[in-house]
Amino acid sequence: MPRYGSIGASHGYSQLRRIHNEIADYEYDELDVTSERDLAALMADTRYSGFNISNPYRYEVMKHLDEISEDARKAGAVDVVRRLPDGRLMGYNTDMAAFRYLVEGSVEGKKCVILGTGGAATAAARALRDMGVSDIVLVSRFPEMTSQRLVPSADGEPVKLGDMYKITGYDRLYTHYDSEVLINSTPVGRSPDIEHSPLTDHRVTVRMFSRLELAVDLIYDPYRTKFLQDARRLTGCHTRSGLEMVIYRAIAARNIWLGKPDDMNEDRRFIIPIKRRILEDQLNIIAVGMPGSGKTTIMRRYAYELGLKFIDTDEETEKLMGESIHDVLADASLGEDYFRAIEHQAVKAACMNRGAVIATGGSTALNPLNRDLMRANGIVVYVKRPLELLDRRGRDISIYTGLTELFNIRDRVYRRSADLSILNSRIFGERRAKTGIGNTYNYELKGFVYYIARKIERYLNEIADNKWT
């Protein structure tokens, strides 16, 4: 059986092996490479018929190849290697085609700004130029040095990057606030550093891009980066994650290795179901809502029924504090500020899980930093319950504010944070009290849990079938 592999410095949360296992019948290994010697040894290893190449080896690998494709020459980088029947090694670039697939129909004739100037950025820039984009600007931390960097031209001859594209720094980005498309090709915001954005890290707010229509992040973990969340919230633009690019590149690599022609209509049959399965495994299910709305009871049962990990952020916060939330709030030397800081730590730790079920405290979503964390790799479910049915026992925060006023403040936040809303107007086990029928509590709670599961299934199908994030 043919054997292929992925070469990179560290694969971390990589989906390549899973994707390749779904789209073809061959062996596939993830190969961590730490030196030029390791790279050279793998290129000479005839057990492998080809490789996916990840950073930082997309440039280094070219010296080991006998031939490169036209797209690889244009991009100046190789991300797929094929061992030809005569033993020679040929390099290809699929970044340009994958990027074209992701943004086709949304960028033509627009002004585009790309954050970053590495291999992914230059591949995106060349793809945009081929698509008829009116203006392309690359943003660098060191614009003067970057402008002088030599890259291959379309005919293979080296040319200064600054002669091909406009290069600017983050401190001059204000001169391009009229851009309609904004693309992040940097690694900033990738898991586990999900609280960062390349813009906010340079004290730039996306709100200033008043004409922004589309924000694209080539990162796919987390699914909604802070960069994308800020763009959507502050400008109302459309957003797209890099997940479909990763799947497209895997399919393109398979086609190269097996000599299959590219057929986007045919390949899209793979992209949608693979994206669906990855999202199901990657995204947490996170419940928000008023204290006493039933979040913990319902989501604990949800996790049990579906065989998933369950996390209660209030319980995790108490573990970190070493005492109960009630005691901390009552302690004048600690108080609410201390509680909120520790709660944020607990929320971040919970949200770094994948495919878990998480119940949050009633006020957790009031912190905008917590909201970003929850939405990064989560489907946020607002569990809404009529005020007269809320369980008020042991709810410390409810004694400080009238319940109606508290609801009016929080309801807007919950609705803005959530992907789905669930009305919990039931009293589980009520039939038992009325009819005497045994075990109705478990029966009714289980039924409600599967009602929520069906709604989440439909939501997953919807986002898998669309490029928006």
Side-chain angles (χ1 to χ4, degrees), residues 341-451:
I342 302 301
E343 179 189 53
H344 178 67
Q345 294 179 31
V347 170
K348 182 175 182 180
C351 292
M352 294 310 296
N353 284 272
R354 296 185 176 90
V357 179
I358 302 170
T360 65
S363 58
T364 303
L366 299 184
N367 183 341
L369 298 179
N370 290 341
R371 294 198 295 270
D372 284 350
L373 288 171
M374 291 188 292
R375 288 184 55 79
N377 257 340
I379 298 174
V380 181
V381 180
Y382 174 17
V383 180
K384 190 171 182 178
R385 189 164 177 79
L387 296 185
E388 65 273 12
L389 296 180
L390 291 177
D391 181 2
R392 307 188 198 185
R393 294 170 295 178
R395 310 293 175 180
D396 295 278
I397 201 164
S398 298
I399 67 176
Y400 299 115
T401 312
L403 193 57
T404 301
E405 181 182 350
L406 189 70
F407 173 77
N408 290 337
I409 293 170
R410 294 185 178 181
D411 177 61
R412 293 190 295 271
V413 176
Y414 295 147
R415 284 188 283 109
R416 286 199 300 268
S417 306
D419 299 294
L420 302 171
S421 292
I422 304 293
L423 177 62
N424 175 24
S425 59
R426 307 184 186 190
I427 301 176
F428 301 114
E430 189 175 33
R431 285 178 60 208
R432 179 172 54 191
K434 291 181 178 179
T435 66
I437 299 174
N439 207 32
T440 59
Y441 175 87
N442 285 320
Y443 177 79
E444 292 168 9
L445 180 56
K446 182 177 180 179
F448 191 63
V449 159
Y450 279 99
Y451 159 72

Side-chain angles (χ1 to χ4, degrees), residues 274-303:
I274 291 173
K275 180 182 177 183
R276 168 66 172 74
R277 287 189 285 273
I278 290 174
L279 289 175
E280 183 174 22
D281 289 346
Q282 179 171 324
L283 300 183
N284 299 305
I285 309 300
I286 305 175
V288 300
M290 288 287 287
S293 61
K295 301 184 300 295
T296 301
T297 298
I298 293 167
M299 301 317 286
R300 191 187 301 274
R301 185 59 176 264
Y302 184 100

Side-chain angles (χ1 to χ4, degrees), residues 171-199:
D171 60 335
R172 298 284 299 173
L173 196 50
Y174 65 86
T175 60
H176 301 288
Y177 282 159
D178 59 337
S179 300
E180 296 142 302
V181 179
L182 189 59
I183 300 157
N184 176 38
S185 73
T186 77
V188 179
R190 178 185 298 160
S191 184
D193 299 318
I194 61 177
E195 294 179 284
H196 293 272
S197 159
L199 290 180

Side-chain angles (χ1 to χ4, degrees), residues 128-174:
L128 290 171
R129 175 174 286 178
D130 291 345
M131 297 171 73
V133 167
S134 64
D135 201 0
I136 303 170
V137 181
L138 274 62
V139 184
S140 170
R141 292 175 297 167
F142 312 105
E144 293 183 3
M145 183 186 305
T146 300
S147 295
Q148 301 303 310
R149 195 177 82 210
L150 294 177
V151 296
S153 63
D155 58 9
E157 294 300 317
V159 62
K160 292 179 181 178
L161 188 62
D163 291 339
M164 296 182 65
Y165 307 104
K166 296 178 183 176
I167 311 291
T168 191
Y170 285 90
D171 60 335
R172 298 284 299 173
L173 196 50
Y174 65 86

Side-chain angles (χ1 to χ4, degrees), residues 222-296:
Y223 183 59
R224 299 183 184 115
T225 60
K226 178 172 172 54
F227 168 77
L228 292 183
Q229 291 191 63
D230 286 348
R232 181 64 178 270
R233 180 175 61 251
L234 299 176
T235 73
C237 72
H238 296 288
T239 58
R240 290 180 191 169
S241 160
L243 180 55
E244 290 197 24
M245 276 190 67
V246 174
I247 302 170
Y248 184 102
R249 284 201 299 260
I251 294 172
R254 178 208 62 182
N255 292 346
I256 289 169
W257 294 333
L258 302 185
K260 293 171 61 71
D262 288 326
D263 184 340
M264 198 59 251
N265 291 328
E266 174 70 16
D267 292 340
R268 186 165 169 77
R269 293 191 308 107
F270 289 100
I271 291 176
I272 294 174
I274 291 173
K275 180 182 177 183
R276 168 66 172 74
R277 287 189 285 273
I278 290 174
L279 289 175
E280 183 174 22
D281 289 346
Q282 179 171 324
L283 300 183
N284 299 305
I285 309 300
I286 305 175
V288 300
M290 288 287 287
S293 61
K295 301 184 300 295
T296 301

Side-chain angles (χ1 to χ4, degrees), residues 299-315:
M299 301 317 286
R300 191 187 301 274
R301 185 59 176 264
Y302 184 100
Y304 171 78
E305 292 291 341
L306 277 74
L308 303 173
K309 180 179 181 180
F310 174 74
I311 302 169
D312 183 329
T313 61
D314 278 350
E315 292 179 359

